[in-house]
Amino acid sequence: MIEQLTTIIGAIGAIAFVVSVITQVLKGVRPLDKLPTDILVFVLSIGLTLVAFYAYASYIELEILWYYVVGAVITGFITAFVSMYGWSKLKELWDRFKSE
């Protein structure tokens, strides 16, 4: 159980990093610059989490059940939260301890 939890936490961190990079790139694209950043982050997070889940399920030959998909969507919301607030909180902590 612990091994699976660490894998999920690592996947959330990796997907959150990819979402942050893609969001920074897409904010400069002409039609998407009108879209609120939070909506873009939610769509990217849930989409990339579902893609990662389906790729992993295919790799381990897992039978996909409906509640696995619901769990992947919930994980997508967690990934969106980390993408939106995780880096700013990390920078805030860095600035606080760097000045001391």
Side-chain angles (χ1 to χ4, degrees):
M1 180 70 181
I2 297 296
E3 182 179 319
Q4 293 171 342
L5 188 61
T6 56
T7 302
I8 291 170
I9 291 172
I12 288 173
I15 295 170
F17 176 75
V18 171
V19 166
S20 296
V21 170
I22 292 173
T23 300
Q24 289 299 321
V25 170
L26 290 180
K27 281 179 13 180
V29 175
R30 184 53 99 185
L32 294 177
D33 60 353
K34 304 286 186 215
L35 188 67
T37 305
D38 289 348
I39 292 175
L40 181 62
V41 168
F42 272 116
V43 169
L44 284 172
S45 295
I46 293 171
L48 288 176
T49 303
L50 284 171
V51 167
F53 167 70
Y54 284 124
Y56 181 70
S58 174
Y59 177 72
I60 65 169
E61 298 176 355
L62 176 71
E63 180 183 350
I64 298 174
L65 302 172
W66 68 270
Y67 50 86
Y68 292 161
V69 177
V70 171
V73 170
I74 292 170
T75 306
F77 280 105
I78 295 169
T79 304
F81 182 81
V82 170
S83 295
M84 286 189 285
Y85 302 113
W87 304 118
S88 62
K89 295 294 182 188
L90 180 64
K91 183 182 180 329
E92 182 180 308
L93 283 172
W94 175 263
D95 290 340
R96 185 180 332 162
F97 289 114
K98 185 177 76 170
S99 63
E100 293 179 5

